[in-house]
């Protein structure tokens, strides 16, 4: 006796009962929920309910049920963008966001949900690549040029006997100008960044970091000289001479005193006073016509 027959027999032994259906057949008494869980087509019932509900717990529950139902679709769309430098799990998260946006904007009268949802999810993933995955942020137009140039290069390279296409060939193929092709080619190198430890092709094993310049203290000296130049011109001739001998000839205060025939103490006071005047004028803190010593 088959299992199905035994099930039917047990149902027949109960007075007033109906034979129990085989396990593989859904019973009509099951909740309505099972009907729309069986296939996405049945989600029309849920979308109809969602449209008529106000914000609240019930609407959130129906929305969550729809998200659970259609999440495999979002994951399949995300899978199309794998192997492009982003983790598949991250792409699935972005696709789920796109699914929710599609669900919130969908009108059941527009037709099947998947026809509306797939472009919305795809657009969300492409926006993620455009806005979040570039090492160097470039304008949207430049990103579009990059995609056009990349596609054109692949198409031209796939032709029999073809070589690396020139910018002129890419421009003719895409209808872009050579300047736009140049921007697209430059953007091809902007999607990812190299490490500063990346080696440059050379026998000395230089890295990119080795090519970076360092702060040159001479630049600060140039700035200071320009700032002090005007103040130095306004000093009396004797004070200019003292500063010149002290800071350009590296003479001691005693040596300067012997040259000018004054005391070392006077030289010290004149150096201090002259430097203070030059500094104050450079900072615009005093008049530009000091009284001669």
């Amino acid at each position: 006796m088959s299992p199905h027959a035994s099930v039917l027999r047990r149902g027949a032994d109960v007075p007033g009962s109906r034979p129990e259906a085989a396990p593989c057949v859904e019973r009509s008494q099951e909740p309505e929920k099972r009907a729309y869980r069986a296939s996405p087509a049945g989600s029309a019932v849920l979308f109809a309910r969602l449209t008529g509900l106000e914000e609240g717990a019930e609407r959130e529950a129906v929305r969550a049920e729809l998200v659970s139902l259609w999440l495999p679709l979002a994951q399949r769309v995300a899978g199309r963008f794998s192997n492009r430098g982003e983790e598949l799990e991250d792409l699935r998260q972005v696709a789920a966001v796109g699914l929710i946006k599609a669900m919130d904007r969908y009108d059941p009268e527009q037709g099947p949900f998947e026809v509306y949802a797939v472009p919305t999810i795809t657009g969300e993933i492409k926006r993620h690549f455009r806005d979040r995955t570039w090492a160097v942020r470039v304008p949207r137009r430049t990103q579009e040029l990059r995609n056009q140039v990349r596609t054109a290069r692949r198409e031209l390279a796939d032709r029999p006997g073809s070589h690396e296409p020139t910018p002129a060939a890419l421009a003719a193929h895409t209808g872009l100008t050579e300047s736009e092709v140049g921007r697209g080619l430059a953007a091809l190198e902007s999607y990812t960044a190299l490490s500063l430890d990346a080696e440059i092709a050379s026998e000395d094993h230089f890295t990119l970091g080795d090519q970076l310049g360092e702060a040159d203290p001479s630049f600060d000296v140039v700035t200071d000289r320009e700032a002090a130049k005007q103040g130095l011109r306004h000093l009396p001739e004797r004070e200019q001479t003292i500063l010149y001998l002290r800071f350009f000839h590296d003479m001691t205060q005693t040596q300067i005193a012997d040259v000018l025939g004054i005391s070392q103490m006077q030289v010290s006071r004149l150096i201090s006073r002259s430097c203070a005047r030059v500094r104050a004028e450079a900072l615009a803190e005093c008049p530009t016509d000091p009284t001669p010593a």
Side-chain angles (χ1 to χ4, degrees), residues 4-66:
H4 290 174
S6 63
V7 170
L8 292 173
R9 182 173 179 80
R10 285 197 302 271
D13 292 339
V14 180
S17 67
R18 296 174 58 188
E20 192 172 26
C24 60
V25 179
E26 285 189 314
R27 296 174 6 185
S28 60
Q29 289 85 358
E30 285 295 311
E32 186 184 12
K33 189 181 300 183
R34 172 170 296 185
Y36 54 71
R37 277 182 176 171
S39 70
S43 65
V45 177
L46 281 177
F47 276 118
R49 287 181 58 196
L50 187 69
T51 304
L53 291 174
E54 299 290 338
E55 291 292 337
E58 184 178 0
R59 189 178 192 282
E60 288 299 318
V62 174
R63 186 164 168 259
E65 188 72 28
L66 281 167

Side-chain angles (χ1 to χ4, degrees), residues 110-133:
Q110 293 176 334
F113 175 67
E114 59 268 30
V115 175
Y116 179 79
V118 170
T120 304
I121 297 170
T122 302
E124 190 70 21
I125 295 175
K126 289 182 176 180
R127 186 159 44 249
H128 171 78
F129 276 102
R130 186 187 72 217
D131 297 338
R132 302 296 180 86
T133 61

Side-chain angles (χ1 to χ4, degrees), residues 135 192-200 206-212:
T192 56
L194 290 176
S195 168
L196 292 178
D197 295 327
E199 288 193 0
I200 299 175
F206 284 121
T207 66
L208 284 176
D210 295 330
Q211 308 302 306
L212 297 179

